Amino acid sequence: MEIAYWIVAGLLAAFYLYAGGKKVAQSKEQLAPMMGWVDTVPMGAVRAIGTVEILGAAGLVLPPLTGTAPVLAILAALGFLVLQILATALHLSRGEVKETGLNVTLVALAGVAAWLGTTW
């Protein structure tokens, strides 16, 4: 179970470090081609979401790695679960049903990471 957690958490952390880093570092014009929703959300909120994603990625990896407050990893996974449910709702409200496949996958991975975090 521990190996499974590290695989799932590693995938999630890598994805969120990449996505969060882009949201924090790039302009609205650079983000718009791959994240169409940024045109309707204030840039401060986009940067905040990116920051939360980066911190969440650290939360998935650092607590279990250091053995300090490993429950934070479970909370980070649950936070990503909520984040992706809200992201799915945003896409659906914009009529972007085909865009929700990645969100559903990330919901599943975050749920699995939270569950695996409780098993060891």
Side-chain angles (χ1 to χ4, degrees):
M1 291 297 210
E2 189 173 343
I3 293 169
Y5 173 81
W6 283 112
I7 292 168
V8 173
L11 288 171
L12 282 172
F15 174 82
Y16 283 113
L17 277 174
Y18 173 76
K22 289 186 94 44
K23 289 177 185 100
V24 168
Q26 292 186 337
S27 69
K28 186 178 280 197
E29 293 76 27
Q30 291 171 311
L31 292 172
M34 77 176 124
M35 298 177 201
W37 56 271
V38 298
D39 61 351
T40 60
V41 177
M43 202 56 195
V46 174
R47 301 258 190 255
I49 292 167
T51 302
V52 166
E53 290 175 346
I54 292 168
L55 292 173
L60 283 174
V61 175
L62 293 178
L65 191 62
T66 63
T68 306
V71 72
L72 293 177
I74 297 167
L75 295 176
L78 292 173
F80 283 140
L81 187 77
V82 170
L83 178 72
Q84 286 306 313
I85 289 170
L86 294 173
T88 303
L90 174 70
H91 285 300
L92 292 175
S93 74
R94 292 173 45 96
E96 301 170 342
V97 177
K98 66 178 184 162
E99 305 293 332
T100 60
L102 178 61
N103 300 111
V104 171
T105 301
L106 292 170
V107 164
L109 285 174
V112 168
W115 175 72
L116 287 171
T118 64
T119 61
W120 58 278

